[in-house]
């Protein structure tokens, strides 16, 4: 590559990097990716904390007090990190996407205010009772506090997803001219809050959070059981996580299939991107897909993929029972979402979903045979799988958000029109770099806290190496040298 060509490539790359729209989208995508991990941690941990608290109060057994204390601390760390990572996102509406805030402010302002003033404070106030009130309040008040903390976490998700669901399938509004600008005026709050997407998205997201945390709880429990097999507390936690996974993982597959039909009905362009379906007509279902070349990674069309497909089953699923149903292809649209990101994210999410079902069935069989804590192979598998729930959750979120492009409000406002006209590429890129550095620091801090809590738990169980005070084996998601 000669100097002129090299300079041209650098110029093109620099110009793309400094695009206000690209940098703003990357910035918001990065911040919400980190935030969603902590938000879903609170949502998924809520049922565990309610159960451990209730069992602690009812039985007065030490194992439940131990589990409650441990996971409430994890919940508190996730709550703090979720708050810290979530606050900047509301400011990004003003700094990076002011046109979106102007157009949709009347629709999204209410739910966001409810989330902050109802769900957040409910969670914050009673989390304090859970952390410090075991010996200061009565048993009923203490159990009620755990329920209210969990309710706050699930309500927070409810109000946030009302906003996002409206952006996917907007209802209950009309476009009016205000100060020379077309804005959405709220006309029917019930229709705007309970859009066709809302129940699908809420159930799918809540269950995905439960699966992610069930895998995390199972992974931490498996690690401690591996080190101290006779511990009653962590054997109980492992069994509970496996049972919850047995219920939630298959349900996600069944619900996801029906959710896919709803997406085809309401956002056919996104559905076509999920299957890289370009030509309008009968659609196959690609169970497995592998790229034939590196080009196929960025442009996944049927002819450049090795696939294991079910002929016409894509049409069957999209229509709810008609193998000959016509599915609109991507070639029918002027602009398409980044198909490769949507297509591979969808495959990754579905593949992990079937892996979780397999792990759940394997664990269920071991529970039935009374050999759950005796299977070193299963304990290692669950330790390795502990972060994969979040990988599936994030890729599913990418399918939802990237698949909606080029629209930020489906059919009303494009993302390119929502970006600030006064924001320069340099400003957007500089702040993107800042958010990457700060949020990486926050994630590392959270992982360190989890590692410290596990170490303290092992220390309290008397597990330690005999020399140099080093711990047995690795904590895989943190480092390999402990």
């Amino acid at each position: 590559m000669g100097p002129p060509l090299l300079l041209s490539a650098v110029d093109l790359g620099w110009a793309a990097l400094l695009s206000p729209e690209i940098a703003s989208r990357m910035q918001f995508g990065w911040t919400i990716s980190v935030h969603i991990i902590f938000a879903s941690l609170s949502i998924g941990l809520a049922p565990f904390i309610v159960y451990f608290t209730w069992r602690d109060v009812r039985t007065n057994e030490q194992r439940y007090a131990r589990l409650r204390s441990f996971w409430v601390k994890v919940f508190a760390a996730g709550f703090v990190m979720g708050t810290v990572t979530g606050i900047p996102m509301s400011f990004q509406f003003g700094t990076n996407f002011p046109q979106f805030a102007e157009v949709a402010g009347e629709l999204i302002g209410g739910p966001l205010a409810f989330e902050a003033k109802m769900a957040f404070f409910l969670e914050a106030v009673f989390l304090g009772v859970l952390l410090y009130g075991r010996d200061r309040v009565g048993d009923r008040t203490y159990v009620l506090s755990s329920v209210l903390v969990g309710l706050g976490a699930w309500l927070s998700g409810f109000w946030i997803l009302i906003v996002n669901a409206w952006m996917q399938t907007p209802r209950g509004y009309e476009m009016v001219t205000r100060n020379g600008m077309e804005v959405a005026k709220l006309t029917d709050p019930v229709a705007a809050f309970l859009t066709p997407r809302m129940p699908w998205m809420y159930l799918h997201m809540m269950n995905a959070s439960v699966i992610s945390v069930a895998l995390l709880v199972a992974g931490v429990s498996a690690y401690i059981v591996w080190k101290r097999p006779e511990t009653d507390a962590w054997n109980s936690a492992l069994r509970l996580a496996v049972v919850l996974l047995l219920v939630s993982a298959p349900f996600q597959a069944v619900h996801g299939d029906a959710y896919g039909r709803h997406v085809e009905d309401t956002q056919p362009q996104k559905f076509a991107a999920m299957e890289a379906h370009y030509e309008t007509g009968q659609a196959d279902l690609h169970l497995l897909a592998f790229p034939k070349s590196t080009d196929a990674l960025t442009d996944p069309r049927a002819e450049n993929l090795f696939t294991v497909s079910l002929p016409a089953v894509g049409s069957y699923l999209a229509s709810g029972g008609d193998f000959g149903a016509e599915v609109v292809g991507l070639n029918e649209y002027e602009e398409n979402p980044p198909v490769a990101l949507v297509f591979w994210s969808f495959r990754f999410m579905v593949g992990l979903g079937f892996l979780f079902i397999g792990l759940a069935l394997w664990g269920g069989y071991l529970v039935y045979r009374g050999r759950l804590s005796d299977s070193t192979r299963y304990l290692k598998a669950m330790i390795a799988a502990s972060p994969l729930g979040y990988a599936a959750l994030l890729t599913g979120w990418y399918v939802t958000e990237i698949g909606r492009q080029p629209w930020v409000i489906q059919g009303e406002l494009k993302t390119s029109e929502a970006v600030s006209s006064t924001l320069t590429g340099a400003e957007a890129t500089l702040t993107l770099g800042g958010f990457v550095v700060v949020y990486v620091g926050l994630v590392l801090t959270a992982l360190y806290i989890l590692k410290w809590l596990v170490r303290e738990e092992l220390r309290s169980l008397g597990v330690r190496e005999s020399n140099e005070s080093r711990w047995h084996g690795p904590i895989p998601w943190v480092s390999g040298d402990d």
Side-chain angles (χ1 to χ4, degrees):
M1 181 181 292
L5 189 58
L6 179 61
L7 288 174
S8 176
V10 171
D11 288 344
L12 284 173
W14 187 244
L17 184 63
L18 291 181
S19 161
E21 180 187 349
I22 292 175
S24 296
R25 288 171 62 175
M26 291 174 65
Q27 180 178 315
F28 196 80
W30 166 248
T31 52
I32 199 169
S33 293
V34 175
H35 174 69
I36 206 170
I37 291 174
F38 297 115
S40 59
L41 176 65
S42 298
I43 293 168
L45 263 181
F48 284 94
I49 287 177
V50 170
Y51 178 77
F52 291 144
T53 304
W54 173 67
R55 294 292 292 171
D56 174 26
V57 169
R58 183 177 176 83
T59 66
N60 204 28
E61 292 183 16
Q62 184 60 34
R63 57 175 168 166
Y64 293 115
R66 178 185 289 274
L67 293 172
R68 172 190 53 75
S69 175
F70 181 92
W71 288 110
V72 166
K73 291 172 185 171
V74 174
F75 186 100
F79 176 75
V80 172
M81 291 296 177
T83 304
V84 172
T85 55
I87 289 175
M89 291 169 56
S90 57
F91 291 105
Q92 287 174 353
F93 288 145
T95 56
N96 295 66
F97 300 100
Q99 306 305 319
F100 167 72
E102 188 74 26
V103 171
E106 191 169 317
L107 274 296
I108 68 174
L112 292 179
F114 275 120
E115 193 275 336
K117 295 180 179 177
M118 177 196 292
F120 174 80
F121 284 108
L122 189 66
E123 213 173 340
V125 169
F126 288 97
L127 179 58
V129 178
L130 268 188
L131 281 170
Y132 304 109
R134 183 67 185 96
D135 300 322
R136 295 178 172 84
V137 300
D139 287 349
R140 289 183 179 178
T141 303
Y142 198 66
V143 173
L144 180 62
S145 297
S146 71
V147 174
L148 292 176
V149 165
L151 180 63
W154 282 55
L155 271 178
S156 180
F158 174 77
W159 291 113
I160 293 298
L161 290 179
I162 277 181
V163 174
N164 193 273
W166 182 81
M167 293 163 66
Q168 307 283 341
T169 53
R171 298 287 190 279
Y173 73 102
E174 64 177 5
M175 299 303 292
V176 299
T177 302
R178 188 176 295 162
N179 298 324
M181 184 176 180
E182 286 285 309
V183 299
K185 178 184 177 183
L186 181 63
T187 57
D188 186 345
V190 175
F193 286 7
L194 301 178
T195 57
R197 179 58 50 84
M198 179 56 193
W200 294 102
M201 181 173 276
Y202 187 71
L203 199 55
H204 206 66
M205 187 67 189
M206 296 301 107
N207 198 51
S209 300
V210 171
I211 293 172
S212 301
V213 172
L215 287 165
L216 177 66
V217 172
V220 171
S221 304
Y223 181 74
I224 296 176
V225 168
W226 185 24
K227 294 298 176 189
R228 186 68 183 269
E230 66 273 19
T231 171
D232 288 338
W234 292 97
N235 275 296
S236 297
L238 181 58
R239 280 195 300 274
L240 177 63
V242 168
V243 170
L244 204 55
L245 202 60
L246 266 172
V247 176
S248 56
F251 174 74
Q252 193 76 339
V254 174
H255 181 263
D257 172 58
Y259 188 3
R261 285 198 292 276
H262 166 73
V263 170
E264 204 283 334
D265 287 339
T266 54
Q267 292 177 302
Q269 188 178 12
K270 179 189 292 185
F271 184 84
M274 287 158 58
E275 291 296 332
H277 181 68
Y278 282 84
E279 301 292 338
T280 298
Q282 195 179 57
D284 300 337
L285 177 68
H286 303 314
L287 295 178
L288 296 174
F290 302 96
K292 289 181 180 178
S293 66
T294 52
D295 290 341
L297 286 170
T298 56
D299 185 13
R301 296 172 189 261
E303 63 269 21
N304 56 20
L305 294 171
F306 289 110
T307 61
V308 177
S309 304
L310 297 176
V313 174
S315 293
Y316 181 87
L317 294 177
S319 63
D322 183 2
F323 286 103
E326 185 178 83
V327 176
V328 177
L330 293 167
N331 289 337
E332 301 293 329
Y333 302 96
E334 292 183 4
E335 294 181 75
N336 283 319
V339 177
L341 287 175
V342 178
F343 179 81
W344 292 115
S345 294
F346 183 67
R347 310 252 95 62
F348 194 73
M349 175 191 69
V350 172
L352 285 177
F354 283 107
L355 172 65
F356 301 157
I357 293 174
L359 289 171
L361 293 175
W362 184 10
Y365 172 76
L366 292 172
V367 170
Y368 174 73
R369 298 296 300 270
R371 295 173 44 215
L372 185 62
S373 59
D374 298 333
S375 174
T376 303
R377 189 174 298 175
Y378 186 73
L379 296 179
K380 290 181 178 179
M382 295 311 292
I383 293 170
S386 56
L388 295 183
Y390 288 101
L393 188 146
L394 285 176
T395 49
W397 189 255
Y398 297 154
V399 172
T400 299
E401 296 305 291
I402 299 174
R404 189 187 57 221
Q405 301 302 321
W407 302 101
V408 62
I409 303 173
Q410 183 73 38
E412 289 291 353
L413 182 69
K414 291 185 176 179
T415 307
S416 58
E417 300 167 342
V419 177
S420 170
S421 58
T422 59
L423 184 69
T424 68
E427 292 169 342
T429 305
L430 182 64
T431 52
L432 166 64
F435 274 108
V436 169
V437 172
V438 172
Y439 277 44
V440 165
L442 292 172
V443 171
L444 292 176
T445 301
L447 289 173
Y448 177 81
I449 292 171
L450 180 59
K451 177 181 178 181
W452 180 80
L453 288 171
V454 172
R455 275 184 168 181
E456 290 301 305
E457 184 66 17
L458 287 170
R459 180 178 289 119
S460 70
L461 291 170
V463 179
R464 66 175 64 219
E465 286 188 343
S466 57
N467 52 4
E468 298 181 359
S469 297
R470 292 175 63 82
W471 301 101
H472 294 293
I475 298 177
W477 54 85
V478 179
S479 70
D481 59 355
D482 283 319

